[in-house]
Amino acid sequence: MTLMDPVQVFRTEAGELFEQIESGLLDLLHDLSNQGQIDAVFRGLHTLKGSGAMFGFEALAAFTHHCETAFDRVRKGEVPASSELIAAVLEAQDHMRRLVDNPATAFPETGDRLLAKLQAAVGTGASAPQHHTQPTATVKLDEPATATWQINFSLPANAMANGTNPLGLLDELDELGECTIAANTTAIPPLDTIDPTNLYLSWSITLTTDQPRSAIDDVFIFVMDDMEIDVKKLSDQQAASVDIVPPPSPIEEAAKANPAATQAANDGVQNKSAENVRVPAERLDELMDRVGELVIAQSRLSQLANTSVDIQLRSVSEDVERLSGELRDTMMVLRMVPIAQLFSRFRRLTHDLARETGKQIELMTEGESTEVDKAVIERLADPLVHLVRNSCDHGLETPAERIAAGKDPAGHVTLIARQTGGDVTITIRDDGRGIDRERVRAKAESSGLVAPGAVLSDQDLLQMIFEPGFSTAAQVTNLSGRGVGMDVVKKTIEALRGTINVTSKPGLGSEITLAIPLTLAIIDGLLVRVGTGCYVIPLAAVEECLELSPEDDVKSRGRSFISLRESLVPFIRLRELFHTGTKPDQYQKVVVISTGTERVGLVVDQIIGDHQTVIKAMSKLHHDVATFSGATILGDGSVALILDVGHLVTAGQQQEAQMRIAG
């Protein structure tokens, strides 16, 4: 059995905590008096500090303690929450991430600078020492300055397996005052039946402290929901005669009263802990590869069964086909994650851009529950960062410009996700100034991308912003202006077998829509034959199939256009493109494919039919072959190449443009 690296487990959980803290901070910006969000941020910082110390990240724990102290003061009402404090903690969180991911890159002087910002935001309370500090006492008039408390508590059996350290709780109680601790060991089973991952101890504590009851509750704030605890305030006489022998724990008392109910409750806790299992992403990738191989093997089995007269073989083949299909569908669901994980990253980005540019930017999202393959999510992150930054920097105006144009001073950027068939469409929309087409054309002509006076469709003109080195910015800033980024966006989206469509209205804003396959591993394809070779066309891109008669083939020579419902569609003869050296079939077929609004026809010899395609990456020797996006293995063991729809559509449109110029 291979155990997961505890440090890597902590890094994963720390990443989740960072997301929770960042989300809470950004939500708090909209309502600085929201006590629930203040408490949530404090709990996140407290957990991060405690977990960091437990796993040996002492620098992280020490630095996080300052942020925790600052929010503790806000939580207690000593200082108000402010945008300056939130900005300081957000910047401090970046330093915490470096302390988790690669402590060697987290320079101490950076931490000192951030702590100075934090201190300026909340006052001297932020410069607390780097170890636990006693909370400020709040003495109630009806309580004496010092009181003695009897605390009995027990944690669930799986507490330590889930990351709770009882010693940390006892240490925090000990810091509150004079503390006597006794462990109850009566629940420990015989050695031959003991489970080393379970916790069998409970504790009885007598605490004399000048702190209020709330300070005791704060110690257990993160485990209160899952534990059994009894806290009683003792009179002076009870405190003087307190017996340090621990009484039965609440769990033991309940077990004596109703053993069956207690056993059922314990079973419920164990079942609850088994609801979620953390699995490394690479294991899912390996499992996906095995499922892909199974689909290929099942396809070969089906082909053999169809040519056999053995009824039992056909029956087994059908069962295997059904089971492999169900396994494939289940595997695809396992790889799916909500796109909210991606959208949530841009709240922080727009917050920082607003502070940097002096603009008022509001980010809105729709369709966060739309699920996409995790591999697609990972590869979409950088392209979306470029697009959102461009919308904020180029698209949105300053508050003064927006007011002069009769708009709301705050600009809006909206991220929308929708599932359409086997694709997910992601739209980045802003209500800014729109794309200046005259400036785009002037820049394109000066860069030699288009000839002066050349006729371009509106979509072709807008697509110029994705050309390498293209930028209409008047000056270079640290946000944009170098023409680097948008061309990378297009290349990344095309590598994902996706498309980009741009629309823009002057003065009203722009909209960029990305159409991306839900998954990169398995697709439905249309299997066709060209010459003696077989090829796969992604079925999601296929609009319709037509027959190309010998007469139409002769008529189109030199023109390569076909009339389709009163519109001309350019087509490409794949036999000529692939140099097959074979004669065309008597009745060729035209497969019309599209990306966005652009269409092109592909002339093939035969349409074989639908095919469940397991995509295999091209070798390094063939990665420059732009016509193909991958390969797959057919049922007979032969290899079929998968056509790159985006590249072929672009080639067809270029062919159409050349025809128009020649005509």
Side-chain angles (χ1 to χ4, degrees), residues 143-275:
E143 291 185 355
T146 300
T148 300
W149 303 85
Q150 182 69 43
I151 307 166
N152 298 320
F153 78 88
S154 56
L155 297 167
N158 60 356
M160 291 193 297
N162 290 339
T164 300
N165 185 357
L167 296 180
L169 302 175
L170 297 175
D171 287 342
E172 290 192 46
L173 289 174
D174 187 50
E175 291 176 357
L176 295 180
E178 184 179 347
C179 193
T180 302
I181 302 173
N184 181 6
T185 61
T186 57
I188 299 178
L191 186 61
D192 57 345
T193 62
I194 197 169
D195 184 346
T197 65
N198 280 353
L199 176 63
Y200 299 101
L201 298 178
S202 58
W203 287 269
S204 179
I205 301 100
T206 302
L207 173 64
T208 301
T209 178
D210 59 358
Q211 302 298 314
R213 165 66 187 268
S214 60
I216 299 174
D217 292 339
D218 284 349
V219 171
F220 301 98
I221 189 171
F222 302 107
V223 292
M224 188 71 74
D225 293 338
D226 299 322
M227 69 182 298
E228 296 286 345
I229 184 170
D230 179 42
V231 181
K232 293 180 180 178
K233 183 179 177 184
L234 303 180
S235 65
D236 293 341
Q237 184 177 0
Q238 289 173 320
S241 59
V242 68
D243 188 353
I244 64 170
V245 177
S249 70
I251 291 179
E252 292 174 323
E253 292 177 346
K256 291 179 181 178
N258 192 344
T262 303
Q263 182 60 42
N266 291 337
D267 292 343
V269 170
Q270 293 177 356
N271 291 336
K272 182 177 180 182
S273 66
E275 287 179 359

Side-chain angles (χ1 to χ4, degrees), residues 462-488:
L462 294 177
Q463 288 285 335
M464 289 293 171
I465 65 176
F466 296 106
E467 293 295 327
F470 190 93
S471 176
T472 59
Q475 58 185 3
V476 174
T477 68
N478 61 342
L479 289 182
S480 59
R482 301 184 187 277
V484 178
M486 296 298 277
D487 61 320
V488 177

